[in-house]
Amino acid sequence: MRTFGVEEELLIVHPETGEPLALADALLSGRQVAADDSADGPHAPGPHTRDPHTLETEDKTVYDDDGMGLSAELKLEQIETQTRPCLEYGQLLDQIRAGRTLADRAAQKHQARVAALATSPLGLNSHTTPDPRYARMLERFGLTAQEQLTCGFHVHTYIDSPEEGVAVLDRIRDKLAVLTALSANSPFWNGVPTGFESYRTQAWNRWPTSGPAGIYGTYPAYRRVVTRLLDSGVMLDEGMLYFDARLSRNHPTVEVRVADVCLRAEDAALIACLVRALVESAGREWRDGVDPAPVPTVLLRMASFQASSAGLSGELLDFGNFRPARAADVVRSLVDYLAPVLDEQGELALVRQGVEDIIARGTGSAEQRQVRGKALVAQPEDAGLGAVVKHAVRVTMRDALDPSEVEAVPELLRVRQS
C-alpha cells in the first residue's frame, strides 16, 4: 500500500454573517509564510524531513507540537491544513478532522471560524497575502489573481520514481473529472448562484497552466514540457504548474488537484482513497505494458467542464467512451474499475458505501443550495447565503478531533509499504 496525505484549503469567516475575513497572517501568529506552490517548492503532506516539534520550517509551513501543519495561501481569507502521510482511510480521516480543529482554534482566537467551502457564497473584495511572489502574480495576472479566492483539495500519493509518476499522470488523466463531480462544493460566487456545481473549477481554470495535460510518455518528456512552459515567460516559476495532476518537485508523490475542498471530512477521506487507488492501478498498468488511453486533451477539457457544471445532478462524460451518461453510473463505473485494488487494500466496501452516501444525499453544492432555499425567506437581506456559511462551519467541524488525540504516524509509515 502506498502512503497518501492531503492538503485542505479552508475559508476564514465571520461566525455570524459568514463574510470571509482576511486573517490568515493573524492565525499564523505573524510568522512570514508562503503557499505550498511557492518558488521554493511545494511541501508534501506531513513531516518527511523535519523535526516534528519545530514550529516553522524551511518550506514556510507552521506546525504545532503535534506535527499538524498550517500555511498561508494566495488570499488572506484562506488557510491551508496538511496531514501527515497515512496508510488507511480511518487514519487519514482523523488527521483531516484534527487539521480542521487546529485551523478553527486559531480562527476562534480572532473571533472567526473556518468553513470547508470551495468558494465564498458571499461577495467580497479579497486581500492578497503580503509576499513578493504574490505581488508579482497580482501584477502579471490581474483580475485572475485578484479574484482567485478558491479552496481546493489536493491529494498526494507516494510513487517509487519520477518515471512511475509520469506513467501514472498519463494513465489517470481521463478519469479525474469524475472526482471533480464527486467533490463539487462551490455553487455560489460573489453572492449569486452560478449555475455550476463546482464553480471553483471555472475560476481556477483561468490560470494559463491549469486543467488537463497531454500524454508525456517519459519523465524526460515531462521535464521538457515544464522547461518549455518556463521558457515561454508566461509562468513566473515552476510553482505555477497548475495542471490537474503533477509531480511534486521536493517529495516522491503525485499530486492530484481537481477536487473542491469537501464540506464533509469523510467525503474528503473517501476521495483520497479513490485517488490512491487510481495511482496504484495506473502504476500496475504501466508495469504490465498497458498504454494510456489516447484521449485528446480538448476532450478532457469537455469532461472537466461537464463535471463542473453538472456535478452528480445530471450527466457526466463517461471515461470509457466520453459520451454522456448518468453521473451516478459514471461514478459507480469508476469504483468498479478500481475494485481490484480497493479490494486488496480492504477499502472496497467502505468506498462503495461512501459513494452511495454522496449519491443519495448529494454533494456539498447540493447541500449548500438546500440550506439556502430554507433560509431565503427568513434572511432576505443576504439571500440566505449567510445561513449557508454558518451551516458549513457546523458541518466542517462535525466530529472534530483534538490534534493531540490523533495517533502519531511512525516513521516507518512514511515510505511505501509492500
Side-chain angles (χ1 to χ4, degrees):
M1 293 178 67
R2 300 171 188 263
T3 53
F4 62 155
V6 306
E7 300 162 344
E8 284 200 304
E9 296 166 349
L10 305 171
L11 281 181
I12 306 167
V13 299
H14 191 286
E16 295 302 323
T17 67
E19 176 188 5
L21 300 174
L23 290 173
D25 51 353
L27 268 60
L28 293 162
S29 303
R31 291 181 176 87
Q32 182 63 36
V33 295
D36 68 329
D37 61 356
S38 68
D40 293 332
H43 54 269
H48 285 268
T49 59
R50 63 176 179 81
D51 180 339
H53 298 293
T54 57
L55 290 178
E56 190 170 2
T57 65
E58 290 182 358
D59 63 9
K60 306 300 184 183
T61 302
V62 177
Y63 293 89
D64 76 341
D65 287 335
D66 300 299
M68 305 299 293
L70 293 179
S71 67
E73 279 292 335
L74 176 63
K75 295 297 178 177
L76 285 172
E77 289 83 2
Q78 62 187 155
I79 191 92
E80 184 189 83
T81 70
Q82 302 93 28
T83 71
R84 304 182 187 109
C86 298
L87 267 179
E88 50 91 19
Y89 168 90
Q91 187 183 61
L92 183 65
L93 178 59
D94 284 351
Q95 296 245 339
I96 291 171
R97 286 173 170 164
R100 292 181 175 199
T101 299
L102 181 65
D104 194 58
R105 283 182 180 173
Q108 288 190 57
K109 292 178 182 178
H110 300 275
Q111 293 74 55
R113 301 297 300 274
V114 297
L117 294 168
T119 56
S120 170
L122 293 160
L124 80 156
N125 292 316
S126 62
H127 300 79
T128 302
T129 298
D131 180 273
R133 176 173 181 267
Y134 289 152
R136 296 200 314 273
M137 289 173 65
L138 193 62
E139 180 180 5
R140 174 71 176 85
F141 297 101
L143 197 62
T144 292
Q146 180 59 49
E147 292 189 340
Q148 200 57 239
L149 180 57
T150 59
C151 294
F153 177 68
H154 305 158
V155 183
H156 286 259
T157 305
Y158 181 85
I159 51 174
D160 284 325
S161 66
E163 290 75 18
E164 183 188 44
V166 170
V168 166
L169 295 179
D170 288 349
R171 289 162 177 79
I172 66 174
R173 58 195 284 274
D174 54 326
K175 305 169 188 73
L176 295 181
V178 183
L179 304 180
T180 300
L182 196 61
S183 66
N185 188 31
S186 46
F188 304 113
W189 178 263
N190 284 332
V192 297
T194 65
F196 287 85
E197 299 293 290
S198 173
Y199 191 73
R200 180 203 64 87
T201 300
Q202 299 300 311
W204 182 255
N205 281 345
R206 299 177 192 176
W207 293 112
T209 57
S210 61
I215 294 173
Y216 302 105
T218 66
Y219 179 61
Y222 175 86
R223 292 306 311 171
R224 284 195 295 272
V225 169
V226 174
T227 299
R228 292 291 299 274
L229 290 171
L230 290 170
D231 289 347
S232 74
V234 176
M235 294 165 54
L236 296 185
D237 49 54
E238 194 168 333
M240 290 195 69
L241 191 70
Y242 291 153
F243 289 143
D244 289 347
R246 67 184 185 185
L247 301 186
S248 170
R249 288 166 295 144
N250 291 348
H251 301 282
T253 63
V254 161
E255 181 187 8
V256 172
R257 304 165 54 85
V258 295
D260 282 6
V261 68
C262 296
L263 188 58
R264 297 171 180 269
E266 59 269 29
D267 293 351
L270 172 75
I271 287 170
C273 286
L274 289 170
V275 170
R276 178 169 66 169
L278 273 170
V279 172
E280 176 62 23
S281 296
R284 293 183 184 188
E285 290 178 358
W286 171 60
R287 289 188 293 274
D288 290 341
V290 178
D291 291 333
V295 182
T297 303
V298 66
L299 197 52
L300 298 184
R301 296 192 74 87
M302 298 301 100
S304 175
F305 178 91
Q306 183 62 15
S308 171
S309 174
L312 298 185
S313 63
E315 293 183 324
L316 300 177
L317 298 190
D318 186 278
F319 59 87
N321 57 25
F322 283 83
R323 294 179 179 175
R326 289 182 61 245
D329 292 341
V330 175
V331 174
R332 291 175 180 130
S333 294
L334 180 64
V335 177
D336 290 342
Y337 166 77
L338 298 173
V341 167
L342 290 169
D343 191 37
E344 286 181 24
Q345 296 179 168
E347 295 172 339
L348 181 57
L350 179 152
V351 168
R352 284 201 191 280
Q353 185 59 58
V355 164
E356 292 303 324
D357 288 345
I358 297 175
I359 291 171
R361 64 171 147 79
T363 61
S365 281
E367 192 164 342
Q368 287 188 53
R369 286 196 305 273
Q370 290 166 6
V371 171
R372 183 202 179 218
K374 293 177 181 178
L376 199 53
V377 176
Q379 296 176 299
E381 65 278 1
D382 66 359
L385 296 175
V388 171
V389 180
K390 292 174 72 172
H391 173 81
V393 170
R394 290 193 297 272
V395 177
T396 299
M397 301 311 300
R398 186 174 293 163
D399 300 320
L401 289 178
D402 188 310
S404 65
E405 297 172 354
V406 177
E407 183 180 357
V409 182
E411 289 292 337
L412 64 87
L413 298 189
R414 294 181 188 154
V415 297
R416 182 180 175 187
Q417 304 296 299
S418 300

